[in-house]
Amino acid sequence: MISGLDIESGVVDLSHGAGGKASAQLVEEIFRPAFANEFLNQMDDGALLPNQGERLVVSTDSFVVSPIFFPGGDIGSLSIHGSVNDVAVMGAMPRYITAGFILEEGLPLSTLKQVVDSMGAAARACGVALVAADTKVVKHGEADQIFITTTCVGTMADSVNVAAERIRVGDQVLVSGTIGDHGATILTSRGDLGLDTDLKSDSQSLHDLVQEMLESGVQIRFLRDPTRGGVATVLNEIAEQTGLGICIHEAEIPVADGVRAVGELLGLDPLYLANEGRLVAICAPADAEQLLQLMRSHTKGKDAAVIGEVSADARHPLVLQTAWGSNRIVPMLTGEQMPRIC
Amino acid sequence: MISGLDIESGVVDLSHGAGGKASAQLVEEIFRPAFANEFLNQMDDGALLPNQGERLVVSTDSFVVSPIFFPGGDIGSLSIHGSVNDVAVMGAMPRYITAGFILEEGLPLSTLKQVVDSMGAAARACGVALVAADTKVVKHGEADQIFITTTCVGTMADSVNVAAERIRVGDQVLVSGTIGDHGATILTSRGDLGLDTDLKSDSQSLHDLVQEMLESGVQIRFLRDPTRGGVATVLNEIAEQTGLGICIHEAEIPVADGVRAVGELLGLDPLYLANEGRLVAICAPADAEQLLQLMRSHTKGKDAAVIGEVSADARHPLVLQTAWGSNRIVPMLTGEQMPRIC
């Protein structure tokens, strides 16, 4: 008989990934309490879910962020927000989530519990049930602490249609808040830079903001969350998909002072920094003001702004009009800005 | 402008995980050709799937097998078979799959392509569409080559009901083929043992065998795939879930000669070795012979056997009657048999 887990001072060992008694114990003492719901409680290798009666949206993301705890969040809550947001910006309601954990031998059980509890709290806050999970353990040095891959399944009403092909010349481009907070926070959280800032990740779920936007009656053409690669990458992708151009105005782009300062210090453009709780919305010109006010009235969109418009100029996918009135082409991110930001 | 990937001699670098142009290139040149289907071709952050009109089954697994290529398979095909089988043995038809890749910087692009092509071929063979994927790259030494987490979504007809609570005393226990092949193969594939065997993993999808079994009219009480922890762990779990006992007969358990030899040499019991293409089925006594013949007539069940029966003896969850007639309790796997078998 194995005694209870020593969560205070114990560590993950290879037996926790072997599928036997120790694996079961990890599930019983750490995972189940954090995620308990009727589907997970089936305790099968998969979860049986009811007929949804609607179209489905599925999205998956692997999370390898370093450090695993950072101002404003941790790898656990981030792994929920990331997949939930991918489903939400498709116009769907996130319902279920699965998680695959890859743990490095030696990870303190207390760390694992902290991450898993944070995931559970984030899932509850989003109204999604974690319905299936798997854990593997690799030897010390074969992974870095903890990697989490989540897959979110959502349902989408027949009336919803947000797709890039609906975008038209003249459409307005909005962001739901300041940009680059997550990327700047992760970068400065890495001790080697020796920076002491009060930055905080924007990691949060967007499903409730999106639902309010969709239910408002405003014609939203397109939504996307600008994660890795930032707003610049998303707008370049939209330009490429539509064959249109986008012009954005530097003076209108909300950037937190701390993010601007870090960007200037390190030579990083906030347009390329990752966001984990912001969205880009595109709507018809006549609807822009109403959509902006609606977003600003939501706590998750209080710093929303109209930052630009769609143009017919396909030769220059994304153009930034600087504060001085000059124009600068903003290309798609080509190199690596920083690894393991999410 | 970035030129095409040098698949022959190039390696994965951090830019391939940064979400910019290099990431897009990896998708275009390696992932899309392997997986192309109407849902993945939407090229959104999530996949929009039709209303399934049935109950859903969702399962997830992370794959960290080492070595990544082994006799009978590789981490790519294994990552499809593993999740597909979890859904199939719930009684569902696997439909869609997602994949999260964690790549170690320096992984040869040719290796990645080989793995991804193998995944694509396995998915097509199973009739599942890979509808969403994500790739992260970590620095050299922060992961070991490639980890893949897959999530499979299946649909389940209302008429299907295979659940542990349906198991009754006297029910027969069948396996679909020789046991322990995958575990023994992975162990001997690790060069450090210096063993030269002709073992081969049983990695294969079971969805077609399961569908034939379900459509046969035979009353199948329960199905499960005995992966990590092997047949002994699955049978112990069933005993625990039902509050009943299970007795199996050593002489009836199919074990390949090579697996038996490796087991004896290394002191490993095939009952605990992992399988990746076998299932355990439980049915009423009157149906056992028909089910056995049905399984044997399928190429994926040709070595099927009735190996035991369910008893009322809850004090001893799993008992093995040896070839000599004595009884031995087979406990749940307690320690770690070997890491990274799947």
Side-chain angles (χ1 to χ4, degrees):
Chain A
M1 197 62 200
I2 300 181
S3 57
L5 284 179
D6 178 1
I7 291 176
E8 204 174 311
S9 58
V11 300
V12 169
D13 64 42
L14 294 170
S15 73
H16 291 119
K21 202 132 192 162
S23 300
Q25 198 174 25
L26 205 67
V27 170
E28 281 305 314
E29 298 191 32
I30 293 187
F31 290 101
R32 258 182 92 158
F35 299 127
N37 62 67
E38 58 177 316
F39 305 107
L40 189 63
N41 292 349
Q42 297 166 353
M43 292 304 285
D44 276 318
D45 280 350
L48 176 60
L49 308 175
N51 180 345
Q52 302 297 308
E54 288 190 303
R55 294 178 295 170
L56 301 178
V57 169
V58 180
S59 185
T60 197
D61 264 323
S62 291
F63 295 88
V64 297
V65 66
S66 171
I68 59 175
F69 299 101
F70 48 83
D74 58 72
I75 192 171
S77 53
L78 180 65
S79 73
I80 299 292
H81 297 153
S83 285
V84 159
N85 288 347
D86 280 343
V87 165
V89 297
M90 298 268 299
M93 181 63 93
R95 303 278 181 197
Y96 307 103
I97 206 157
T98 67
F101 295 87
I102 297 171
L103 308 179
E104 183 188 15
E105 178 188 24
L107 180 75
L109 288 172
S110 58
T111 303
L112 177 62
K113 181 168 163 51
Q114 202 176 338
V115 167
V116 168
D117 286 349
S118 171
M119 278 184 85
R124 277 189 299 278
C126 298
V128 296
L130 187 137
V131 296
D134 177 60
T135 303
K136 294 283 156 44
V137 180
V138 300
K139 284 187 186 164
H140 182 70
E142 294 178 342
D144 188 12
Q145 295 185 283
I146 177 168
F147 301 149
I148 306 176
T149 301
T150 53
T151 305
C152 185
V153 178
T155 55
M156 186 141 124
D158 287 340
S159 55
V160 174
N161 181 10
V162 285
E165 75 234 27
R166 301 179 73 235
I167 298 171
R168 299 285 174 269
V169 173
D171 280 357
Q172 300 292 292
V173 178
L174 293 84
V175 293
S176 64
T178 56
I179 68 168
D181 297 72
H182 180 75
T185 301
I186 296 303
L187 191 56
T188 56
S189 298
R190 294 181 186 160
D192 44 336
L193 287 172
L195 290 175
D196 186 16
T197 72
D198 56 359
L199 295 179
K200 191 166 160 274
S201 167
D202 55 304
S203 176
Q204 64 181 348
S205 73
L206 295 167
H207 67 290
D208 44 0
L209 173 61
V210 170
Q211 285 303 312
E212 275 197 27
M213 291 166 66
L214 292 175
E215 287 164 6
S216 69
V218 173
Q219 287 297 314
I220 295 164
R221 310 267 213 216
F222 187 73
L223 293 169
R224 182 61 60 90
D225 56 333
T227 55
R228 269 185 303 182
V231 170
T233 299
V234 161
L235 295 182
N236 266 289
E237 285 171 353
I238 295 171
E240 195 178 300
Q241 276 186 283
T242 57
L244 302 172
I246 294 174
C247 179
I248 54 177
H249 310 284
E250 192 169 30
E252 308 301 329
I253 301 171
V255 181
D257 290 344
V259 173
R260 196 182 301 280
V262 166
E264 283 171 5
L265 192 67
L266 302 174
L268 294 170
D269 187 339
L271 279 170
Y272 289 107
L273 290 175
N275 310 274
E276 292 291 347
R278 303 288 184 244
L279 59 80
V280 168
I282 296 183
C283 72
D287 292 330
E289 184 58 28
Q290 190 189 342
L291 183 59
L292 179 67
Q293 294 313 324
L294 188 151
M295 288 166 75
R296 284 187 174 167
S297 70
H298 195 287
T299 52
K300 294 178 180 175
K302 66 182 169 50
D303 297 320
V306 177
I307 64 166
E309 61 280 328
V310 177
S311 78
D313 182 6
R315 285 168 312 150
H316 304 123
L318 181 59
V319 173
L320 178 77
Q321 194 172 69
T322 69
W324 314 107
S326 64
N327 285 342
R328 170 162 81 75
I329 292 172
V330 183
M332 199 157 167
L333 180 65
T334 46
E336 160 238 347
Q337 248 198 345
M338 54 179 110
R340 300 184 60 183
I341 45 166
C342 59
Chain B
M1 196 62 202
I2 299 181
S3 57
L5 285 179
D6 178 1
I7 290 176
E8 204 175 314
S9 58
V11 300
V12 169
D13 64 43
L14 294 169
S15 73
H16 291 120
K21 202 133 190 160
S23 300
Q25 199 173 24
L26 205 66
V27 169
E28 282 306 316
E29 298 191 32
I30 292 187
F31 290 101
R32 258 181 91 159
F35 298 128
N37 61 67
E38 58 178 316
F39 306 106
L40 189 64
N41 292 349
Q42 295 165 356
M43 292 304 285
D44 276 319
D45 279 350
L48 176 58
L49 309 175
N51 180 345
Q52 302 296 309
E54 288 189 303
R55 295 179 295 171
L56 301 178
V57 169
V58 181
S59 185
T60 198
D61 265 322
S62 292
F63 295 88
V64 297
V65 66
S66 172
I68 59 175
F69 298 101
F70 48 82
D74 58 72
I75 193 171
S77 53
L78 181 65
S79 74
I80 299 293
H81 297 153
S83 285
V84 159
N85 288 347
D86 280 344
V87 165
V89 297
M90 299 269 299
M93 181 63 93
R95 303 279 182 196
Y96 307 103
I97 206 156
T98 67
F101 295 87
I102 298 172
L103 307 180
E104 183 187 16
E105 178 188 23
L107 179 75
L109 288 172
S110 58
T111 303
L112 177 63
K113 182 167 163 48
Q114 201 177 338
V115 167
V116 168
D117 286 350
S118 171
M119 278 183 86
R124 277 190 299 278
C126 298
V128 296
L130 188 138
V131 296
D134 178 58
T135 303
K136 295 284 156 42
V137 180
V138 300
K139 283 186 187 164
H140 182 69
E142 293 178 344
D144 187 11
Q145 295 186 281
I146 177 167
F147 300 149
I148 307 175
T149 301
T150 53
T151 304
C152 185
V153 178
T155 56
M156 186 140 123
D158 287 341
S159 56
V160 174
N161 181 11
V162 284
E165 76 234 27
R166 302 179 72 237
I167 297 172
R168 298 287 174 267
V169 172
D171 280 358
Q172 300 291 293
V173 179
L174 293 84
V175 293
S176 65
T178 55
I179 69 169
D181 298 72
H182 180 74
T185 302
I186 296 304
L187 191 56
T188 55
S189 298
R190 294 181 185 158
D192 43 339
L193 287 173
L195 289 176
D196 187 16
T197 72
D198 56 358
L199 295 179
K200 190 164 160 276
S201 167
D202 55 304
S203 176
Q204 64 182 349
S205 73
L206 294 167
H207 67 290
D208 44 1
L209 173 61
V210 170
Q211 285 303 314
E212 275 197 27
M213 291 166 65
L214 292 174
E215 288 165 7
S216 68
V218 172
Q219 286 298 312
I220 294 164
R221 312 268 213 214
F222 188 74
L223 292 170
R224 182 61 61 89
D225 55 333
T227 54
R228 268 186 304 183
V231 170
T233 300
V234 161
L235 295 182
N236 266 287
E237 284 171 356
I238 294 171
E240 195 177 300
Q241 276 185 286
T242 57
L244 301 172
I246 293 174
C247 179
I248 53 176
H249 309 284
E250 192 169 32
E252 308 301 328
I253 302 171
V255 181
D257 290 343
V259 172
R260 195 182 301 278
V262 166
E264 283 172 6
L265 192 67
L266 302 173
L268 294 170
D269 187 339
L271 279 169
Y272 289 107
L273 291 175
N275 310 273
E276 292 291 348
R278 303 287 183 244
L279 58 79
V280 168
I282 295 183
C283 72
D287 291 331
E289 184 58 30
Q290 190 189 343
L291 184 59
L292 179 67
Q293 293 314 323
L294 189 150
M295 289 166 76
R296 284 187 174 167
S297 70
H298 194 288
T299 52
K300 293 177 180 176
K302 66 181 168 51
D303 297 319
V306 177
I307 64 166
E309 62 280 326
V310 178
S311 77
D313 182 6
R315 286 168 313 152
H316 304 123
L318 180 59
V319 172
L320 177 77
Q321 195 173 67
T322 68
W324 315 108
S326 63
N327 285 342
R328 170 163 82 76
I329 292 172
V330 183
M332 200 157 167
L333 180 66
T334 46
E336 159 240 348
Q337 247 198 346
M338 56 178 111
R340 300 183 63 183
I341 44 164
C342 58

